[in-house]
Amino acid sequence: MYIGVDVGGTNLVVGIVNGEGDIIAKAKCPTDTIKPPKAVIGDILRLAAEACEKAGVNKAEIKSFGFGTPGTIDFEKGAVINSPNIPLMNNFPLRDTIQAEWAIPVYLVNDANAAAFGEAFAGSAKGCESMVMVTLGTGIGSGIVLNGKLMMGFNHIGAEIGHTVVVLDGWECNCGRKGCWEKYASASGLIALTREKMEANPDSKLWEIAPTLEAVDGKTAFAAAAQGCSAGKAVVELYLDYLACGVGNLVNIFQPQVLCIGGGISNEGDALLLPLIARVEKGSFRHPKNNTEIRIASLGNDAGIIGAALAEV
Ligand SMILES: [Zn+2]
């Protein structure tokens, strides 16, 4: 049995995961963004004990403790360098502090990488030696699994596919570059594209679905398009072009067996998937028989827990 922790912006979730990638039990509490690190670790250890009890698992049966956390991981130090959800956790010796309490291996994995590994191990890309996952949320989270292992670069901080440029001198990104893929193809990107279209089209149906620009979300344009709104359709088409641009790049570099799409926008299902597949088929290098399958991720937030528990084991 293995412990996987998902350090989310809303909740801290601890799961007990078996070697098959099944979550046996979970325990969670709200993420307190201003708590000192030692108190957060106290919460995590309490949740771990609670999850063990729910699962009927003895502490001695737990082989390792894995953290899936946003931010850049300092692998050698066992710390998170820039922790967006819990800023006080920056540079805190997370691995050593947990290890002092539970004398078992403790691993830190970026949350997007953890989610990719979870989908590869037990989800939509189960059984695939090579896969890429992109999560369309506030930004674009991404992870690459090659030969059954996460590809994270020599310094363990890859794979930040969301910060590859698709528009030269495009919209400014908080990473310091301009025109990053996530500025256009994340949920935030779709919202920005929708608002831009609404401002230019004061009579469009988009305004019926979202009465103010603040009310726009990742569903607005898809909902308008489904109702026949031409402005909504134009936003969705443009969004899909940006999304397919990055996905085509990934297919051309990695030729993964499966590329899976997660995050809030993936809830659009076939309205997203089918036109995306058609675009990528046209815009990527094709093998005569075997080509990358693009799928919707299947595990939701559980992917991060399973991946955190098993990625480094
Ligand atoms: Zn960027």
Side-chain angles (χ1 to χ4, degrees), residues 118-147:
E119 289 289 341
F121 196 87
S124 58
K126 187 175 177 176
C128 294
E129 283 287 296
S130 68
M131 64 84 77
V132 174
M133 174 164 184
V134 293
T135 305
L136 309 173
T138 311
I140 294 185
S142 49
I144 299 162
V145 175
L146 293 178
N147 302 319

Side-chain angles (χ1 to χ4, degrees), residues 15 19 30 43 46 56 73 156 159 168 187-188 209 213 222 261 270 290:
D43 285 342
R46 180 175 52 76
I73 309 292
H156 295 257
L168 198 61
S188 310
I209 293 163
L213 291 177
F222 277 96
I261 311 272
D270 283 351
N290 301 319

Side-chain angles (χ1 to χ4, degrees), residues 279-300:
R279 280 165 168 80
V280 174
E281 274 179 6
K282 267 194 227 159
S284 62
F285 282 89
R286 313 299 290 168
H287 183 276
K289 286 185 226 145
N290 301 319
N291 285 292
T292 299
E293 267 188 57
I294 302 175
R295 298 179 186 162
I296 299 291
S298 63
L299 295 174

Side-chain angles (χ1 to χ4, degrees), residues 162-164 173-177 180 182-183:
H163 298 287
T164 53
C173 182
N174 58 12
C175 76
R177 304 187 86 185
C180 286
E182 74 169 33
K183 293 302 293 180

